[in-house]
Amino acid sequence: MHIVASTFGSGHFVWLHNPQRKKGISPKLRWPWEGPYVVVEWLNDVVYRIQRGPQKKPKVVHRDRLWKYSGVECPDWFQEPVQDKTEDVSS
């Protein structure tokens, strides 16, 4: 039986796991998740391109390092593309 991991689509918010140690901070007290990042592109089944802000360089990361962001508010820098919801009604 093959278990399929959940996938993230373009525009979804995610946390990035970064267990890097920093000098002077105990690893037990450090929060290893960074973000939220936005998924820019889905490259294949397990590789994604994510970006933290409009001026930041995108990162290519493996699916195992991502976790779904469940916050209510989106970051200030992210603005969803405006979708035209008007319908052309001609009589």
Side-chain angles (χ1 to χ4, degrees), residues 22-53:
K22 292 195 178 191
K23 189 174 183 177
I25 299 175
S26 170
K28 288 183 178 182
L29 301 176
R30 187 179 175 285
W31 177 250
W33 296 95
E34 296 177 354
Y37 285 82
V38 65
V39 175
V40 176
E41 187 178 1
W42 179 50
L43 301 175
N44 65 29
D45 289 342
V46 294
V47 180
Y48 294 85
R49 180 171 286 129
I50 61 174
Q51 191 170 6
R52 186 141 189 199

Side-chain angles (χ1 to χ4, degrees), residues 16-90:
L16 173 66
H17 187 256
N18 187 6
Q20 252 182 347
R21 294 184 68 153
K22 292 195 178 191
K23 189 174 183 177
I25 299 175
S26 170
K28 288 183 178 182
L29 301 176
R30 187 179 175 285
W31 177 250
W33 296 95
E34 296 177 354
Y37 285 82
V38 65
V39 175
V40 176
E41 187 178 1
W42 179 50
L43 301 175
N44 65 29
D45 289 342
V46 294
V47 180
Y48 294 85
R49 180 171 286 129
I50 61 174
Q51 191 170 6
R52 186 141 189 199
Q55 303 299 323
K56 301 288 184 173
K57 186 177 176 183
K59 295 181 180 186
V60 176
V61 296
H62 192 276
R63 164 68 179 98
D64 290 346
R65 294 184 61 200
L66 300 177
W67 190 262
K68 181 182 176 186
Y69 176 77
S70 60
V72 177
E73 298 178 13
C74 70
D76 295 335
W77 59 265
F78 182 78
Q79 295 178 359
E80 293 186 68
V82 178
Q83 296 179 355
D84 186 23
K85 294 186 178 183
T86 60
E87 295 179 7
D88 185 20
V89 180
S90 56

